Amino acid sequence: MIKKLVSLVFILTIIACGSHNSIDSFYNAHKNDSQVTAIRVPQFMLSLLGNISPEMKSLIGNTKDLRYMQFPSPTPERTKYLNAQMNSIAGNSFIEVFRKNDDLKRNIISIREKRNAVKEILIYNNNNIRGSFLYFNGNFDPVKVREMAKNTEFSELPKILGKEFNMQSPEEINE
């Protein structure tokens, strides 16, 4: 009886920790913060975003969930906190495809694979003034995803989202 109870508590703890370190929990925890722009793209708009390029059309066509969030990161303490949260999320069964660290500044592209497909793509940027993440969930060709990451094609999406949703321009974000 005691062994079953200990096992149950252990399993519940692991489940709780796993759900704490997810895009859903980060998105829900910060979407109501001051000066945050949070976008969850509805299915009907995904086809509009697919018009960026043939590669992007291929990627968007397989997307089930697309989220973008832009948030302030005005102090080193806040930047460290946000970087730690994203490191925790990305370290939770994601594979880093690209990382660039410059002091507290971060540019990270991570993927989660299942068998021969990429299921999730997470792109995180923080420049000590503002941070952002771009998240895709779907069924993607890993070769195409790695090629797009190598050619920095993912950087076009925040610009398109900015125009569609009248957000601050990505050039201002990356200053």
Side-chain angles (χ1 to χ4, degrees):
M1 177 74 173
I2 299 282
K3 287 183 179 181
K4 287 182 181 179
L5 182 61
V6 170
S7 296
L8 179 62
V9 169
F10 179 72
I11 290 170
L12 289 175
T13 302
I14 289 176
I15 291 170
C17 290
S19 64
H20 175 71
N21 296 327
S22 71
I23 289 297
D24 281 334
S25 63
F26 185 89
Y27 188 88
N28 289 330
H30 295 289
K31 70 182 180 183
N32 292 317
D33 291 354
S34 179
Q35 299 178 359
V36 167
T37 300
I39 298 171
R40 192 164 188 180
V41 180
Q43 288 292 316
F44 77 92
M45 286 194 72
L46 290 173
S47 62
L48 297 174
L49 295 175
N51 294 327
I52 298 171
S53 69
E55 293 82 10
M56 199 57 75
K57 183 173 183 151
S58 172
L59 180 71
I60 296 294
N62 296 318
T63 301
K64 296 175 187 166
D65 186 10
L66 175 59
R67 299 181 205 195
Y68 178 76
M69 182 177 277
Q70 175 185 309
F71 38 85
S73 187
T75 64
E77 293 77 25
R78 182 70 175 170
T79 301
K80 287 177 188 176
Y81 170 73
L82 294 166
N83 287 348
Q85 283 191 313
M86 276 298 163
N87 283 337
S88 180
I89 292 168
N92 190 12
S93 73
F94 276 82
I95 298 167
E96 279 189 17
V97 177
F98 174 81
R99 174 183 280 265
K100 182 178 179 187
N101 297 337
D102 183 10
D103 291 324
L104 291 177
K105 295 179 182 179
R106 296 288 182 271
N107 294 312
I108 303 168
I109 300 174
S110 299
I111 61 172
R112 188 176 289 173
E113 297 177 310
K114 186 174 183 181
R115 295 191 184 108
N116 293 332
V118 172
K119 295 296 186 179
E120 296 174 81
I121 304 167
L122 175 60
I123 302 161
Y124 172 69
N125 293 296
N126 195 319
N127 66 7
N128 290 332
I129 298 169
R130 287 191 187 79
S132 68
F133 80 80
L134 181 59
Y135 170 78
F136 296 87
N137 184 321
N139 192 19
F140 313 106
D141 176 7
V143 174
K144 188 165 295 257
V145 169
R146 289 177 200 262
E147 183 178 312
M148 291 178 74
K150 180 181 170 187
N151 296 332
T152 64
E153 292 181 55
F154 288 112
S155 64
E156 293 300 313
L157 250 175
K159 293 175 188 174
I160 300 300
L161 288 172
K163 289 177 185 174
E164 290 294 323
F165 292 95
N166 294 321
M167 293 183 339
Q168 190 170 14
S169 75
E171 291 76 27
E172 293 173 4
I173 295 168
N174 293 322
E175 288 179 342

